Amino acid sequence: MRIRPGNAQHIGSRNQQQDSFAFTHIEDAPLVRRAGVLAVLADGMGGLAMGKEASDCAVKATLSLHKTAQRETPPTEILQRAVESANMDVLTMARKVGVEGEAGSTLVAAIVKDNNLYWTSVGDSRIYLYRSGELVQLTTDQNLATELLQRVADGRMSMEEACSHPDRAALTNFIGNPDIKPADSNLRPLPISDGDWIILCSDGLFGTLTDDEIRKELSGNPNDSCERLIQKVVSRNKPHQDNT
């Protein structure tokens, strides 16, 4: 299977780019055979301290853990260890400057190995799978909105109350959390095929564009597709557009 990466980003209307992302070296055949191909994205939490530093730290920790993984280590375990390593590194970084627990980032990471997809997520950045014209969100947002919707399902809250809750976007889990909860991950490999698209994105994208608007740009060269998505976000001219 041939993997073609693409990427794009924009600062939006923010003063600082706090989204970080990376791919492993696809041409590194020994690494690909041993641990697969990794893509990772982290969105520094603007409401906390050191958002940019936290996202950079989380991405670097994930890359390092993947690079040193052994052949016998399952991708699910690589991703679990990556989350643990990223959380510890961000906590350590924050502790050195006296802001432990106040520096945080989301994290989504995906590994493609032997024609299977493995993923993990902490926070509310997302991973989508686009296949045969259908765009499916693989991750579950770890934020208050998800918990509010569960209350609606349980009959403890109305949909109107959930949608109007002032803190619905607040994260319930993040990297750099002293009491981090389990990541949202797939326990079984997801088979993928030629023609599938795997999209990692921060809320600057899905918070501005609908799923249908995202889906319409997923064709042709991946880099061109990413640039079209960014330009579509920018064209909305939102006054408080987040990093994308």
Side-chain angles (χ1 to χ4, degrees):
M1 175 180 292
R2 180 188 180 199
I3 298 176
R4 302 171 62 197
N7 67 86
Q9 66 175 345
H10 195 275
I11 195 171
S13 62
R14 301 301 171 88
N15 295 323
Q16 188 180 50
Q17 176 58 264
Q18 296 187 345
D19 289 356
S20 301
F21 64 91
F23 299 102
T24 51
H25 294 293
I26 293 176
E27 68 278 8
D28 186 343
L31 177 60
V32 172
R33 285 194 299 270
R34 189 174 74 249
V37 174
L38 169 77
V40 55
L41 179 146
D43 177 3
M45 295 166 61
L48 298 185
M50 304 176 69
K52 181 181 187 302
E53 292 82 359
S55 65
D56 286 345
C57 183
V59 166
K60 290 176 181 176
T62 303
L63 288 173
S64 177
L65 200 290
H66 177 267
K67 184 177 181 179
T68 58
Q70 301 301 307
R71 172 67 179 176
E72 64 273 11
T73 306
T76 50
E77 188 172 333
I78 294 175
L79 292 171
Q80 179 183 343
R81 292 181 182 179
V83 167
E84 294 169 354
S85 178
N87 192 61
M88 184 59 65
D89 285 2
V90 171
L91 280 171
T92 299
M93 176 192 70
R95 187 179 302 121
K96 290 179 179 178
V97 293
V99 292
E100 181 178 358
E102 299 178 16
S105 173
T106 69
L107 179 72
V108 285
I111 291 177
V112 174
K113 187 174 187 288
D114 301 329
N115 296 343
N116 287 311
L117 172 66
Y118 306 82
W119 51 261
T120 193
S121 172
V122 176
D124 66 351
S125 292
R126 292 181 180 177
I127 301 177
Y128 291 91
L129 175 67
Y130 177 61
R131 172 184 291 170
S132 302
E134 296 293 329
L135 184 69
V136 178
Q137 181 182 339
L138 299 180
T139 53
T140 299
D141 300 339
Q142 292 185 322
N143 58 16
L144 185 57
T146 299
E147 296 187 0
L148 292 174
L149 289 176
Q150 185 58 54
R151 295 179 196 174
V152 172
D154 294 341
R156 293 180 289 144
M157 175 179 282
S158 71
M159 181 60 77
E160 182 180 1
E161 289 174 321
C163 292
S164 61
H165 196 289
D167 298 323
R168 65 190 314 272
L171 296 185
T172 54
N173 203 21
F174 59 91
I175 297 294
N177 185 351
D179 300 311
I180 191 170
K181 301 175 184 177
D184 175 46
S185 308
N186 64 329
L187 300 179
R188 297 180 179 179
L190 175 63
I192 56 173
S193 306
D194 289 332
D196 286 349
W197 291 63
I198 302 161
I199 301 97
L200 285 71
C201 59
S202 61
D203 58 351
L205 182 75
F206 62 81
T208 302
L209 303 181
T210 65
D211 285 2
D212 191 52
E213 289 171 327
I214 295 172
R215 179 184 58 80
K216 288 180 179 179
E217 302 303 331
L218 301 178
S219 63
N221 182 286
N223 263 325
D224 294 343
S225 180
C226 291
E227 289 293 347
R228 290 196 302 270
L229 284 168
I230 291 293
Q231 290 308 312
K232 183 174 282 190
V233 168
V234 173
S235 71
R236 297 298 162 84
N237 292 314
K238 287 176 63 175
H240 303 291
Q241 176 61 52
D242 201 354
N243 302 153
T244 306

